[in-house]
Amino acid sequence: MTSDSSVLIGLLLPDVLGTYSDSGNATVLAQRLRWRGIPAEVLRCTAGQDPPTGCDIYLLGGGEDTAQLFAASWLRSHRALCRAMERGGVTLAVCAGLQILGHTMADGTGRDHPGAGLLDITTRPRRRRAIGNIVTECHLPGVGQLCGFENHRGATSLGRDARPLGQVVDGIGNGATPFGRAAVEGVLSERIIGTYLHGPVLARNPALADHILVRATGGPLPPLELPDQAVLREMYL
Ligand code: GLN
């Protein structure tokens, strides 16, 4: 947080990554803070800019294969940002955003490309794309089930230092689970949450948004009374 107590949300490469409106995750976080009377600022950092390194939260979205290779080398060339993501703030990375934080990712021809190395994961292409709605049981305390839309060819294997974000209830998820084991989705490290869920995922899963906000602000947050939500539930459930 800055001296005037604004929570700083760094939206990284919205011009390169951000399929399915993943940039909306920044809007959701900022709005949920403002509704609680906490000032928030979204810092959009496009490819030609020097990235901010003092943010409370960093966001990366999904993208096509070529876009994500560019994003991976952009990240690797900004070591101070990588260090900040490792040690400073909380990061949410979606799909391609998740893949580029790993050790390597292979393209459609099987050739490996280096990632930023912040997560103990590797990604290789599946035979078929995973496309469709997905529901998972999230391992983060109090978050419950997550829902979203997945569309990826990459299958992500977790190393020893990475834990899954959740268990797949319906859908594919990371797509690299050994035969006979329950399928898992996403990745968790100390400061990074990675997921294959688009939506934007935080618009569809406010409990995950609040989990990130609690970690970034360091305190409990008052629950939000959103009368519209109650009305919508009455209408559609
Ligand atoms: N290009 C990556 C894949 O297909 C990520 C896709 C995405 O971000 N939706 O695996």
Side-chain angles (χ1 to χ4, degrees):
M1 289 164 80
T2 55
S3 49
D4 70 351
S5 294
S6 267
V7 176
L8 295 182
I9 301 165
L11 178 58
L12 303 175
L13 297 182
D15 49 340
V16 178
L17 299 176
T19 42
Y20 305 112
S21 303
D22 291 330
S23 297
N25 289 324
T27 312
V28 172
L29 291 171
Q31 190 57 34
R32 292 186 76 78
L33 286 165
R34 290 179 192 135
W35 273 330
R36 291 173 163 114
I38 302 170
E41 204 178 324
V42 176
L43 305 179
R44 279 173 58 87
C45 176
T46 54
Q49 292 173 268
D50 275 337
T53 54
C55 290
D56 303 292
I57 301 170
Y58 294 98
L59 298 172
L60 281 164
E64 296 77 13
D65 294 358
T66 326
Q68 90 178 66
L69 291 185
F70 172 85
S73 62
W74 182 87
L75 261 184
R76 283 187 297 110
S77 69
H78 288 103
R79 293 316 298 177
L81 171 66
C82 292
R83 273 196 302 278
M85 292 166 82
E86 230 166 5
R87 296 181 211 151
V90 182
T91 295
L92 173 71
V94 177
C95 204
L98 168 168
Q99 295 177 4
I100 65 174
L101 294 182
H103 300 301
T104 57
M105 71 216 105
D107 62 25
T109 68
R111 185 170 149 231
D112 272 332
H113 299 269
L118 304 187
L119 288 172
D120 187 14
I121 59 171
T122 51
T123 300
R124 302 201 57 79
R126 287 162 50 83
R127 232 171 333 141
R128 291 175 52 190
R129 285 191 85 77
I131 307 177
N133 289 309
I134 172 167
V135 177
T136 67
E137 195 66 49
C138 183
H139 293 324
L140 292 168
V143 171
Q145 286 202 334
L146 299 176
C147 70
F149 182 78
E150 61 181 333
N151 182 355
H152 54 103
R153 179 145 186 239
T156 298
S157 309
L158 308 183
R160 277 167 184 272
D161 293 333
R163 294 177 292 134
L165 174 62
Q167 209 75 24
V168 175
V169 176
D170 193 19
I172 303 292
N174 292 357
T177 313
F179 186 72
R181 296 233 196 109
V184 297
E185 196 287 315
V187 54
L188 273 179
S189 71
E190 210 184 310
R191 294 184 168 276
I192 301 175
I193 299 171
T195 181
Y196 272 106
L197 275 56
H198 298 280
V201 62
L202 298 185
R204 290 181 63 159
N205 302 280
L208 181 59
D210 282 355
H211 172 91
I212 292 169
L213 292 177
V214 166
R215 279 176 60 178
T217 57
L221 294 171
L224 281 179
E225 293 301 329
L226 298 175
D228 293 357
Q229 264 182 4
V231 172
L232 285 170
R233 282 212 177 88
E234 287 279 305
M235 282 165 70
Y236 295 109
L237 291 186

